Amino acid sequence: MAVQKKKQPRRSNTIKLKFDTSWTYAPAPESRSVAQIAPEYDLFINGTWQKPSSGEYFDTINPADEKVLSRVAAANEKDVDKAVSAARQAYDKVWRRMPAKERAKYIFRIARMIQEKARELAVIESLDGGKPIRESRDFDVPAAANHFFYYAGWADKLEYAFPNRQCSPLGVAGQIIPWNFPLLMAAWKIAPALATGNTVVLKPAETTPLTALKLAAILQEADLPPGVVNILTGAGATGAAIVNHPDINKIAFTGSTEVGKLIQRAIAGTPKKATLELGGKAANIIFEDAPIDQAVEGVINGIFFNQGHVCCAGSRLYVQESVAAEVIRKLKHRIETLIVGDPLDKNTDIGAINSRQQLDTIHRYLAIGKKEGAEMYESSCALPRKGFFCRPTIFTNVAQSNRIAQEEIFGPVLAILTFRTDDEVIEKANNTPYGLSAGVWTDKGSKIFNMTKRLRAGVVWANTFNKFDPTSPFGGYKESGYGREGGLHGLLPYLSLR
Ligand code: NAI
Ligand code: MG
């Protein structure tokens, strides 16, 4: 047997890709001047802006250049108590008593105002969180408005949603949201709560508070009765104070599985209801009969969309052995063409990682992947000198038991595994602690139905990925949490039915 001569000794299992990309796009930045950001924000309690009782504020930065955008108030237990009593008063005296069609008018108005301010909201979302403007403009903001429109429509039709049942609201909802879709998560949580007659105390994530505060200004301008929605900024301690407040009837949380478990423990033995939308490790499955180019594009969208800061990101790819070489070759080529950089540039595909902490987490996983023996390919693109950026990266030679195939990385990192049979891929895809979403790529409808039946995931996309619609429920199995948001199902966690 001829001994193959190695051209270059490889010192590590990291390979920098280099394809011919001798052309580039001219910069096309969105204007920052449409974003009006105040130097300081107070807490939105009972329809007015109130100073935090501790007097403490913290900075929110732009992760693309690490510059401070604004200072926001840190709410403590006293502020949470004030906000919860305002929400209780508003619930008892105004909101639950208001005819449902009147409530709907407010919710419709909020939806329209989000549309009117869409451009500013998109720019602020990209500045504060680091996501590409194309995404905040074309996905986050329109989807947020659509959620308000959709649930406004249900407000006076609950008897049709749940025929022959008596629906009543629960009371005050405490809502805690993460940094990956700040305005959209606020909409997902506030819209169904208001439509069903509940009032709200909402806390945005500490790294991305600005669009929720802009939403507070919209609520004020929409003349929403004081106290119906209160918005408190702060970190984990503020969230915990909301969870533990005795006068909260329902908790809606989206974030890490770790905090989800803390919340479950905290409310055990109390009458508080909860929906928890936690992590994921979605499998994207490509069969040999799939339209390969379409599937490759879908996989790219599934994991690199929003820097992989997506709980339902397709972070594991299972590809049938006979087409694995072709798919991997095309993926390597495609990641080399992705544009990483300024979130405000309309050409950018991958913006900034949300925080230094999250970037460190991603780097830790890259090191773990290499140590476990997987082969790592990263794009050769240059990264901006300031800010938190990560190259799109794929791992091949991954074993099912590897941590990069089991744990949520929450970054632009794809683990690729192969399979031969349907049964094998089902077993592997279901073999994680999570069960939020999955994707199937095949030419055969029967195969799609077979897979969707057997995959333990709340959402299964077929020949597409990361598609959302307000009419469609979303939520997970196992450690991905419980309860559903969106659609008719999303009304249920805010109602008691008799
Ligand atoms: P996190 O779960 O700590 O943060 C989410 C929200 O919970 C934030 O508003 C935070 O202030 C709040 N929070 C933190 N501790 C709390 C507590 N004890 N009680 C009540 N609220 C609390 O998530 P983090 O640390 O920002 O990200 C860690 C990992 O979580 C990520 O790497 C990712 O894997 C996962 N994650 C998942 C998300 C999803 O959409 N399912 C969103 C964000 C993070
Ligand atoms: Mg920020």
Side-chain angles (χ1 to χ4, degrees):
M1 205 176 92
V3 178
Q4 266 199 336
K5 229 173 124 187
K6 275 190 187 159
K7 279 193 207 123
Q8 266 187 340
R10 235 181 35 221
R11 270 189 298 272
S12 78
N13 52 350
T14 306
I15 296 165
K16 270 227 164 102
L17 298 169
K18 190 71 202 145
F19 292 92
D20 177 27
T21 46
S22 42
W23 50 273
T24 56
Y25 290 95
E30 168 60 288
S31 165
R32 259 184 95 132
S33 61
V34 298
Q36 307 242 347
I37 300 176
E40 192 174 283
Y41 286 94
D42 292 326
L43 305 168
F44 186 67
I45 300 174
N46 207 19
T48 61
W49 296 96
Q50 305 193 13
K51 299 258 170 242
S53 49
S54 66
E56 279 173 31
Y57 291 78
F58 62 96
D59 291 341
T60 183
I61 65 163
N62 175 353
D65 62 13
E66 299 171 54
K67 289 195 183 134
V68 174
L69 292 166
S70 182
R71 271 157 46 88
V72 302
N76 64 12
E77 279 177 18
K78 259 194 196 156
D79 304 308
V80 169
D81 192 45
K82 260 207 261 179
V84 174
S85 359
R88 174 64 56 192
Q89 289 260 328
Y91 175 72
D92 285 336
K93 303 219 164 102
V94 187
W95 200 242
R96 70 188 293 193
R97 297 182 181 190
M98 189 183 282
K101 70 177 197 305
E102 293 304 313
R103 281 205 303 264
K105 285 183 194 166
Y106 285 103
I107 309 170
F108 275 123
R109 195 180 297 163
I110 296 163
R112 284 194 302 271
M113 289 174 70
I114 291 175
Q115 286 184 319
E116 280 160 21
K117 295 180 197 293
R119 190 162 171 217
E120 184 186 15
L121 287 165
V123 171
I124 296 177
E125 201 72 305
S126 286
L127 283 171
D128 203 15
K131 65 171 63 197
I133 185 73
R134 244 181 21 222
E135 245 163 59
S136 40
R137 181 195 64 189
D138 298 346
F139 177 65
D140 294 61
V141 178
N146 286 345
H147 264 81
F148 279 104
F149 277 122
Y150 175 73
Y151 281 111
W154 273 126
D156 61 350
K157 300 175 195 70
L158 295 178
E159 63 200 279
Y160 301 99
F162 308 106
N164 306 319
R165 307 289 296 271
Q166 287 242 309
C167 303
S168 40
L170 299 176
V172 179
Q175 308 183 323
I176 298 161
I177 59 172
W179 39 263
N180 51 348
F181 295 93
L183 181 68
L184 181 57
M185 286 300 112
W188 272 34
K189 298 217 172 347
I190 295 174
L194 296 189
T196 46
N198 298 274
T199 57
V200 168
V201 176
L202 175 122
K203 188 194 88 64
E206 51 272 40
T207 54
T208 53
L210 295 181
T211 44
L213 293 165
K214 276 278 159 186
L215 181 61
I218 288 176
L219 303 177
Q220 220 175 9
E221 216 183 307
D223 264 335
L224 188 72
V228 171
V229 174
N230 304 272
I231 297 185
L232 301 180
T233 42
T238 313
I242 295 174
V243 170
N244 293 321
H245 195 288
D247 203 25
I248 290 271
N249 302 100
K250 185 220 151 52
I251 296 291
F253 172 76
T254 300
S256 62
T257 298
E258 194 190 342
V259 173
K261 287 179 181 174
L262 285 177
I263 292 177
Q264 234 178 337
R265 249 176 254 138
I267 63 173
T270 75
K272 288 173 194 169
K273 289 196 171 189
T275 40
L276 304 175
E277 202 263 277
L278 312 174
K281 192 73 188 174
N284 226 333
I285 302 169
I286 302 184
F287 286 97
E288 60 190 359
D289 59 6
I292 298 295
D293 288 342
Q294 225 175 295
V296 164
E297 212 39 46
V299 169
I300 291 284
N301 169 48
I303 180 65
F304 299 121
F305 168 69
N306 197 19
Q307 298 71 249
H309 293 343
V310 188
C311 44
C312 53
S315 51
R316 289 181 296 159
L317 169 62
Y318 289 95
V319 51
Q320 202 155 18
E321 249 176 41
S322 50
V323 290
E326 180 188 359
V327 168
I328 291 170
R329 178 173 52 80
K330 289 187 165 165
L331 281 171
K332 286 179 185 168
H333 190 270
R334 186 66 178 93
I335 64 170
E336 190 67 6
T337 62
L338 293 173
I339 300 172
V340 183
D342 180 7
L344 282 194
D345 194 312
K346 291 163 200 147
N347 296 319
T348 295
D349 296 305
I350 300 183
I353 300 301
N354 184 264
S355 63
R356 182 178 298 282
Q357 192 192 0
Q358 189 59 30
L359 184 61
D360 290 345
T361 303
I362 298 168
H363 285 158
R364 237 184 352 264
Y365 275 106
L366 297 183
I368 290 169
K370 284 192 277 183
K371 202 160 158 226
E372 286 177 321
E375 204 153 280
M376 180 175 122
Y377 297 84
E378 59 175 8
S379 152
S380 67
C381 67
L383 296 183
R385 259 194 238 119
K386 277 288 231 183
F388 315 133
F389 290 91
C390 180
R391 296 188 178 89
T393 303
I394 62 186
F395 278 104
T396 57
N397 269 336
V398 179
Q400 179 71 24
S401 57
N402 286 170
R403 286 181 64 189
I404 54 167
Q406 289 287 332
E407 297 173 19
E408 183 173 52
I409 302 174
F410 230 60
V413 182
L414 175 68
I416 305 181
L417 300 96
T418 59
F419 71 94
R420 288 183 188 168
T421 67
D422 294 14
D423 288 344
E424 178 191 353
V425 76
I426 287 281
E427 201 168 306
K428 285 178 163 175
N430 286 341
N431 176 5
T432 79
Y434 297 111
L436 193 55
S437 64
V440 179
W441 299 83
T442 171
D443 198 30
K444 291 202 175 55
S446 56
K447 200 173 259 178
I448 291 173
F449 286 123
N450 181 29
M451 298 303 287
T452 48
K453 247 185 17 213
R454 296 169 67 197
L455 284 166
R456 297 292 291 163
V459 183
V460 182
W461 286 290
N463 294 326
T464 187
F465 207 84
N466 274 343
K467 287 279 178 287
F468 294 90
D469 191 284
T471 65
S472 170
F474 185 84
Y477 287 98
K478 300 191 276 187
E479 293 206 0
S480 292
Y482 53 76
R484 294 292 178 264
E485 292 185 302
L488 194 146
H489 299 67
L491 295 164
L492 270 173
Y494 290 95
L495 288 171
S496 103
L497 295 185
R498 269 172 294 131

